[in-house]
């Protein structure tokens, strides 16, 4: 039999293929795969076989919706056929049927060699490279070790869950920082799903040109998760404690909407997903602009999955100081705030609605447990999908405000440079939009008048429109940013304030 490129001479091979359906049971190292979608690539067919052993040849008959996969030995082929006898294989959402071929090998000649088919050749080379890689890492495993490189934007446990659930059911995740690098261990129910995730996602960027996933097999075969919180999660056991005694006792007596880190566990997308068949060439993570990069908003969400939540619950606020405008300004550092509601009966709690899901994750990672107005605030996802505006005539005392048309949104422009300057709260603030008529003393006086203890100040040498100002503490800097962002410096200039990664 001659594996051919995808031309008319496939029909000759297809005629011979019909013989395979007569006696599919005899073991062979050649596997016959039926009912494949028309657009399936050689890489996807090879991908089905990689978890079971070395793949030595591939032939796709697109016109007949069939393919052949040659393994290096009958043992690997038998393992693969047995596995897919009990677990239906899928390619691009379609069930495909895996059985032994009557052919004992896929013969190639110069006319029909895979050398004439670049995609088949590339798929086989990638498969061989993967086998060589796993020889040095240890064999395929159900637990993956994930390293996030160039992490310009925060990556959370929930973001990883959304990404890796696209391939199949995720059982457990543990996140940690090692050597100043964010890492995670992710456990799947079987080796095939883990293999699919590694092939699909390794080397992909979560956001444009950054947050690159590097994936290898872990030496661990099982993850022991003790707590369900923002650092670890066992999706098979939602009743685990959070590890915070106050929160656990509150949950035990049924108090809802507390600020436990991400207690609203994400929808288990992929719970019933079959553990095979994700094209490793088809993961559209890169090419997503940061403003649409939350995976629930950028093509990572599966059909039928609820939209990720954009509403934050902020608790333990200072009732004497908090206003909707103050929260708009503070949370506006990490995303475009649409609405703010301070709860009428519990004024140390507020709901903040962001414009996109990943902005909620940015706010949680940077503002949760941050001391603000003398109190350590808590920030978590709310159970509410939107912040409701009060009905006409309903008393609200100015506690709810809509900011959807605010001119002060920092990230309205797609790909805004502001995304490259998102930093956690710090004692040093970055100032911009300073008019040439305003000098250092005027700016320092304005901050002092706002209650800030100015420690140092420095204009940017090459651009006097920008400066750094250092305050006495991070808490002081938060209060100063809230008061001084959009402060009018002249008739036509309003100050822009953000947190800086630099010090003076």
């Amino acid at each position: 039999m001659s594996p051919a490129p995808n031309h008319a001479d496939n029909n000759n091979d297809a005629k011979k293929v019909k013989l395979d359906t007569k006696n599919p049971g005899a073991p062979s190292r050649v596997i016959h795969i039926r009912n494949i979608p028309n657009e399936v690539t050689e890489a996807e067919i090879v991908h089905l076989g990689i978890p079971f052993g070395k793949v030595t040849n591939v032939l796709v008959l697109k016109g007949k919706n069939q393919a052949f996969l040659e393994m290096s030995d009958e043992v690997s082929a038998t393992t693969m056929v047995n596995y897919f006898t009990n677990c239906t294989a899928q390619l691009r959402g379609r069930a495909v049927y895996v059985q032994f071929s009557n052919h004992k090998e896929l013969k190639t000649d110069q006319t029909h060699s895979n050398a004439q088919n670049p995609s088949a050749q590339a798929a086989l080379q990638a498969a061989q490279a993967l086998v060589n890689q796993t020889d040095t890492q240890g064999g395929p495993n159900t637990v993956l070790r994930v390293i996030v490189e160039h992490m310009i934007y925060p990556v959370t446990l929930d973001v990883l869950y959304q990404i890796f659930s696209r391939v199949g059911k995720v059982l457990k995740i543990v996140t940690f920082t090692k050597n100043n690098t964010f890492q995670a261990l992710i456990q799947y129910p079987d080796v095939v799903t883990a293999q699919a995730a590694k092939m699909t996602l390794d080397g992909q960027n979560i956001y444009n040109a950054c947050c690159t996933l590097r994936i290898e097999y872990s030496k661990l075969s099982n993850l022991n998760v003790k707590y369900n919180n923002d650092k670890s999660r066992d999706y098979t056991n939602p009743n685990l404690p959070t590890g915070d005694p106050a929160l656990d006792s509150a949950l035990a007596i049924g108090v809802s909407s507390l600020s436990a880190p991400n207690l609203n566990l994400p929808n288990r997308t992929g719970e019933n997903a079959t553990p095979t068949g994700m094209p490793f060439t088809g993961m559209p993570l890169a090419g997503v602009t940061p403003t649409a990069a939350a995976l629930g908003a950028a093509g990572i969400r599966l059909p039928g999955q609820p939209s990720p939540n954009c509403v934050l619950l902020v608790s333990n606020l200072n009732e004497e100081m908090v206003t909707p405008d103050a929260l708009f300004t503070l949370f506006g550092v990490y995303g475009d705030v649409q609405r703010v509601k301070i709860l009428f009966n519990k004024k140390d709690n507020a709901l903040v609605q962001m414009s996109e899901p990943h902005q909620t994750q940015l706010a949680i990672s940077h503002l949760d447990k941050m001391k603000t107005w003398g109190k350590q605030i808590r920030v978590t996802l709310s159970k509410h999908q939107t912040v409701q505006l009060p009905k006409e005539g309903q008393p609200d005392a100015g506690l709810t405000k809509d900011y959807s048309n605010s001119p002060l949104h920092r990230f309205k422009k797609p790909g805004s440079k502001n995304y490259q300057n998102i930093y956690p709260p710090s004692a040093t603030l970055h100032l911009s939009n300073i008019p040439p008529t305003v000098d250092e003393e005027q700016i320092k006086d304005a901050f002092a008048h706002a209650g800030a203890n100015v420690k140092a100040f420095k204009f940017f040498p090459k651009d006097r429109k920008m400066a750094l100002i250092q305050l006495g503490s991070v808490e002081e800097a938060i209060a100063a940013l809230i008061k001084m962002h959009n402060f009018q410096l002249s008739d036509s200039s309003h100050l822009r304030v953000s947190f800086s990664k630099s010090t003076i």
Side-chain angles (χ1 to χ4, degrees), residues 476-496:
E476 273 188 40
I478 291 173
L481 180 142
I482 289 170
K483 285 187 177 182
M484 297 301 295
H485 182 62
N486 203 43
F487 180 81
Q488 188 164 355
L489 289 173
S490 69
D491 290 342
S492 59
S493 296
H494 289 75
L495 187 65
R496 296 288 177 259

Side-chain angles (χ1 to χ4, degrees), residues 273-287:
T274 48
T276 56
M278 286 298 301
F280 65 76
T281 52
M283 196 65 180
L285 294 189

Side-chain angles (χ1 to χ4, degrees), residues 231-338:
K231 298 290 190 293
S232 63
R233 194 74 55 78
D234 184 344
Y235 296 95
T236 67
N237 186 4
N239 298 319
L240 284 177
T242 67
D244 184 326
L247 288 168
D248 290 330
S249 59
L251 288 171
I253 59 173
V255 177
S256 62
S257 297
L258 282 176
S259 50
N262 299 334
L263 280 178
N264 295 325
L265 299 185
N267 191 318
R268 295 187 193 178
T269 320
E271 179 113 356
N272 299 313
T274 48
T276 56
M278 286 298 301
F280 65 76
T281 52
M283 196 65 180
L285 294 189
V288 177
T289 59
T291 49
L295 299 169
I300 306 306
R301 190 164 68 246
L302 294 178
Q305 180 184 352
S307 296
N309 201 344
C310 291
V311 180
L312 295 164
L313 172 67
V314 188
S315 55
N316 202 38
L317 290 160
N318 184 326
E319 293 183 37
E320 303 301 319
M321 301 295 292
V322 68
T323 64
D325 285 350
L327 293 176
F328 167 78
T329 301
L330 177 58
F331 282 79
V333 173
Y334 301 108
D336 292 337
V337 175
Q338 301 298 302

Side-chain angles (χ1 to χ4, degrees), residues 97-340:
Y97 305 103
V98 178
Q99 62 191 43
F100 290 116
S101 167
N102 280 343
H103 301 280
K104 294 301 179 184
E105 62 180 322
L106 290 182
K107 295 178 182 176
T108 59
D109 54 35
Q110 288 183 342
T111 309
H112 299 118
S113 168
N114 272 333
Q116 306 297 319
N117 186 343
S119 58
Q121 193 175 30
L124 291 168
Q125 287 175 352
Q128 186 56 48
L130 186 79
V131 170
N132 293 340
Q133 186 181 35
T134 55
D135 286 345
T136 60
Q137 290 179 358
N141 189 5
T142 58
V143 180
L144 298 175
R145 179 168 172 247
V146 180
I147 299 171
V148 183
E149 296 180 347
H150 313 302
M151 199 169 84
I152 295 175
Y153 311 119
V155 175
T156 64
L157 182 148
D158 288 329
V159 167
L160 290 176
Y161 178 84
Q162 289 183 49
I163 298 169
F164 283 82
S165 289
R166 183 171 184 187
V167 183
K169 179 181 178 180
V170 172
L171 299 184
K172 302 172 185 178
I173 301 179
V174 175
T175 65
F176 56 96
T177 300
K178 185 177 181 181
N179 300 328
N180 293 322
T181 305
F182 180 75
Q183 302 188 27
L185 295 170
I186 299 176
Q187 184 173 343
Y188 282 108
D190 53 63
V191 172
V192 176
T193 318
Q195 176 74 62
K198 186 177 186 302
M199 288 291 291
T200 304
L201 298 170
D202 188 29
Q204 294 283 357
N205 294 329
I206 299 176
Y207 304 120
N208 267 355
C210 67
C211 300
T212 306
L213 296 170
R214 300 295 178 200
I215 304 172
E216 59 189 46
Y217 294 109
S218 169
K219 294 177 183 178
L220 300 172
S221 57
N222 183 55
L223 297 180
N224 181 21
V225 177
K226 295 180 179 179
Y227 304 113
N228 280 341
N229 54 31
D230 56 350
K231 298 290 190 293
S232 63
R233 194 74 55 78
D234 184 344
Y235 296 95
T236 67
N237 186 4
N239 298 319
L240 284 177
T242 67
D244 184 326
L247 288 168
D248 290 330
S249 59
L251 288 171
I253 59 173
V255 177
S256 62
S257 297
L258 282 176
S259 50
N262 299 334
L263 280 178
N264 295 325
L265 299 185
N267 191 318
R268 295 187 193 178
T269 320
E271 179 113 356
N272 299 313
T274 48
T276 56
M278 286 298 301
F280 65 76
T281 52
M283 196 65 180
L285 294 189
V288 177
T289 59
T291 49
L295 299 169
I300 306 306
R301 190 164 68 246
L302 294 178
Q305 180 184 352
S307 296
N309 201 344
C310 291
V311 180
L312 295 164
L313 172 67
V314 188
S315 55
N316 202 38
L317 290 160
N318 184 326
E319 293 183 37
E320 303 301 319
M321 301 295 292
V322 68
T323 64
D325 285 350
L327 293 176
F328 167 78
T329 301
L330 177 58
F331 282 79
V333 173
Y334 301 108
D336 292 337
V337 175
Q338 301 298 302
R339 293 176 181 176
V340 177

Side-chain angles (χ1 to χ4, degrees), residues 15 32 70 111 134 242 250 268 324 380 388 402 421 486 495:
K15 290 174 184 175
H32 180 205
E70 181 186 86
T111 309
T134 55
T242 67
R268 295 187 193 178
T380 185
Q388 297 293 331
D402 183 278
N421 296 299
N486 203 43
L495 187 65

